[in-house]
Structure formats: structure tokens, C-alpha cells
Amino acid sequence: MTGEERRRRIAVRHHLAQEARAGTVEQVADSLTALHGTDPATVHLAAVARLAGAAGDPVAAMERALYEERTLVRMHAMRHTVFVVPAALAPVVQSSTTDAVAARERATLIKQLKAGSSLDEAWLADVEKSALAALERRGEATAAELARDEPRLREQFLYGPGTRYEQPQTVSTRLLRLLGTEGKVVRGRPLGSWTSSRFRWAVAPALPGIPPAEAQAALVRRWLASHGPATEADLAWWTGWKVTDVRKALRAVHAVGTDLDEGATGYVLPDDTGPTEEPAPWAAFLPALDPTPMGWQQRDWYLDPGHRAELFDRSGNIGPTVWWNGRIIGGWAQRPDGGPVWRLLTDPGSEAARAVEEEASRLHARLAGTRVTPRFRTPLERALSA
């Protein structure tokens, strides 16, 4: 399958082609399998970029879906990263990916408590029970509010005693993160605006149990529907799974191999081997950590390798990007007054330049003066925002 066909699929399946930009925030999340939630602003800006034709405010709609209707769930997921997923997909993600991480996290925390304090597993279990009861009574609470109900959450232990990483840590921070990973608590409304990284916590509804292998197959099926064709390496990177688990899941969904331009083998679902209709020309301003550019490990088919250094930070996090017809052609940021500013790293022609101008105006209107600073800043974004 050619890179051109894959780029057409991005436009249609990721709600980026102009004629596809409508619907709801739930449909956006479903079309992408999951939205990156490490940077809270990404979730909202990803919806803004894909709902040009929708009525109402995508930011307000996203907040309703997350905090009132709970049709979307923010949770620890692939690669121990926070994502926002459709509520129906949460048990699949928990069983396929997060449960294994949670088991390691609990064992690690208990080991660190014993090494750096007089606290132990029994003490932690008692504090956990008390904290969950307090959170149930309150409905939503910050860590500080919970510590007023359960003062033992303020206890500290020494992390990494005797090493260069030695430092005191507070039990509340680690315990709430652990309970979130285990699916016992969930992030509630942020403290402040939709760009804030500080959240309240709430008791999470119980998730139905799914056998891990069944859950992994279900997640791969969803991911191939939104991101296929993709390689084993792409899927192993995105999920954080072992290659053996990736291969088992691909067999379980009867994935079909197809030759890609770069000489690798990509996989699609059995009913997804046909061509995609060419969409009308389109431009898009995608936020930092957007799930489209973060969807594959191999990116040369939509990104010039020479532009990586300006668009990614040293840890592999992508900054805000400008797209034209399925390719990244530049990056963008915001001026101190909130207005978008961008730089094209290649000359896409006059039609593209006009479309980019129009897209920038639309973004400016949607942001309505809100200034967003990415959590992971990249060289081009820093230069433009200055």
C-alpha cells in the first residue's frame, strides 16, 4: 500500500478532511481509538481541529463528556501514558495494558516504602481503604482535601535512599497515581481552566473484567481500524506491549499483511483492504502530542526526516504541527496575545498557503484568547512563541 493511500486514510479516518469535520467529541475519540491526555490541552485542541463543521463549542463539549456524562474516560493506558478513551473501551485498555503496569507499580511502591520508611504493605492497605471511603463521601476531592480526612496521606518516605535520586516523597501523590492506574479512582475536573494539569479525583466505577488476550485482540482491532496499515513495530511502540503479544493479537483478529512503500509489511483488518476515496484538499493545525502524528513509530511517509529536530523534543514528543493533504509541512505556536503564528518548513504552493491562513483564522476564533503552552516544548514551538 502506497504512502499516498495511507495519507488519504489519515484525512478521512482521523476527521481531518474538510468534508469529514463534523460530529461529536465522542466520535472524534472513537475515530482515533484514544486521545493523548498527558497534556490536558491536547485533548481539547484535538477535538477543535476535527469539529469545524459541528455546532457549539468543542472545548465545552469535551468537558461535559469527561466530567458530567462520563462518555469519555481519562486513564493511564498505553506506555504508562495518560489517554482519553471512549467509556466502552476503558475495560479493554485496562485489561490489555494497564493491569500489568498497575501490578508492577504496586510492588514497586511497597518496596520503596519499606526501603525508605517504617511503613509497610499492611499500613498502605489501611490508608488506601480509608482514603477511598473519604473520596466516596466527598464525591470529588484534591489530594490536599483527602489528606484532611486521612492525615496519613501526608506521610513521607525516602525515595532511592543512598542513591543520587534520593529525595522525600509524599504518600498521597504515589498512592493516588497507583489507584488511578488500578482503575479505582479517576481524574475529575481540573483546578482551573481546561488547560490545567491539576485535577480533582473521584471514585471510578467498576470495570468489567476481560481476559487479557481477548482485550488485546479487541484493542488491536480498534487500532487497525483507525491506524492501519501499520507495522508490528508501530503497534508494539504504540501499545508498549512485547512483540510476542502484538503478534498473538494480530493473529487473533486475522490481520492481513500488505507491502508498504518503505519495504516493510503493514497490517490491516480483513475487510479493510480496499482503496480510500481521494478527499478534497485540506489543511489542519494539530496540537502537541496529537494522536495522529503520535500514532506510528515509523513516520517518514508523512514527515520529512529533516524536519524532526525542529518538531520533536529530545524524548520523542511532537509539538504543534501544520498539515497539508496528509503531510506535516510546518509547525505553529501562539504569540503572547494568543494569536496563532506558524512556519512552513517546505513550500506547499499557493493553494496550501491560503488554506493554512484560513485554518489559522478558524483556530484563533475557537481559542477565543486562551493561550496554550505545550507541556513538552519543541525547538520550533519555542522559537515561534517568542
Side-chain angles (χ1 to χ4, degrees), residues 121-143:
E121 186 173 0
W123 180 91
L124 183 67
D126 194 52
V127 173
E128 175 185 333
K129 181 179 179 181
S130 175
L132 286 173
L135 190 56
E136 185 75 55
R137 290 193 298 271
R138 282 182 174 267
E140 283 192 351
T142 64

Side-chain angles (χ1 to χ4, degrees), residues 298-312 318 327-331 343-346 379-380:
Q298 169 53 249
R299 303 180 173 103
D300 291 355
W301 53 280
Y302 64 84
L303 170 66
D304 185 331
H307 299 159
R308 284 175 179 263
E310 293 188 83
L311 296 172
F312 286 80
I318 197 165
R327 289 185 180 275
I328 296 176
I329 60 170
R343 181 184 300 165
L344 302 185
L345 301 175
T346 186
L380 183 55

Side-chain angles (χ1 to χ4, degrees), residues 144-357:
E145 290 168 340
L146 281 179
R148 289 200 287 270
D149 295 341
E150 175 43 87
R152 289 177 294 177
L153 287 170
R154 299 193 190 100
E155 291 281 352
Q156 292 189 329
F157 64 95
L158 197 61
Y159 173 83
T163 72
R164 64 190 180 97
Y165 303 107
E166 179 178 304
Q167 61 176 316
Q169 288 195 354
T170 304
V171 167
S172 62
T173 302
R174 291 292 300 277
L175 180 57
L176 285 170
R177 188 175 73 181
L178 171 62
L179 294 178
T181 305
E182 292 179 335
K184 296 176 181 176
V185 300
V186 65
R187 287 167 174 79
R189 284 191 178 277
L191 299 176
S193 75
W194 55 271
T195 65
S196 174
S197 295
R198 299 178 61 205
F199 292 92
R200 298 173 178 88
W201 294 91
V203 174
L207 297 176
I210 304 175
E214 179 182 327
Q216 288 181 335
L219 186 60
V220 166
R221 188 178 294 108
R222 287 288 295 270
W223 188 80
L224 284 180
S226 59
H227 289 77
T231 66
E232 284 183 357
D234 288 329
L235 187 49
W237 175 82
W238 188 82
T239 58
W241 300 346
K242 298 176 182 177
V243 174
T244 52
D245 290 331
V246 168
R247 289 173 178 169
K248 288 177 183 176
L250 287 171
R251 288 196 297 269
V253 301
H254 306 291
V256 176
T258 182
D259 291 334
L260 303 180
D261 272 353
E262 53 268 31
T265 298
Y267 292 90
V268 294
L269 295 173
D271 59 354
D272 191 29
T273 57
T276 302
E277 185 176 346
E278 181 73 51
W282 58 274
F285 276 52
L286 298 188
L289 293 179
D290 186 87
T292 294
M294 292 295 289
W296 300 269
Q297 183 186 49
Q298 169 53 249
R299 303 180 173 103
D300 291 355
W301 53 280
Y302 64 84
L303 170 66
D304 185 331
H307 299 159
R308 284 175 179 263
E310 293 188 83
L311 296 172
F312 286 80
D313 71 6
R314 293 182 179 179
S315 299
N317 300 303
I318 197 165
T321 50
V322 179
W323 291 65
W324 174 246
N325 287 350
R327 289 185 180 275
I328 296 176
I329 60 170
W332 66 277
Q334 286 177 280
R335 295 186 295 266
D337 66 0
V341 57
W342 62 95
R343 181 184 300 165
L344 302 185
L345 301 175
T346 186
D347 181 4
S350 58
E351 181 186 14
R354 287 193 298 271
V356 167
E357 289 269 3

Side-chain angles (χ1 to χ4, degrees), residues 10-90:
I10 282 183
V12 176
R13 299 186 182 188
H14 290 209
H15 285 200
L16 291 173
Q18 294 298 332
E19 59 266 36
R21 292 188 189 182
T24 66
V25 293
E26 289 87 355
Q27 288 170 335
V28 167
D30 191 63
S31 71
L32 295 164
T33 302
L35 305 173
H36 274 259
T38 305
D39 188 335
T42 294
V43 176
H44 299 278
L45 293 178
V48 166
R50 293 168 171 87
L51 295 178
D57 178 4
V59 171
M62 182 64 71
E63 290 192 306
R64 286 195 300 273
L66 283 168
Y67 310 126
E68 297 173 19
E69 299 163 1
R70 299 288 186 183
T71 50
L72 298 177
V73 178
R74 180 181 273 109
M75 63 186 298
H76 276 91
M78 289 63 70
R79 303 190 312 281
H80 204 347
T81 298
V82 177
F83 282 81
V84 167
V85 304
L89 193 62

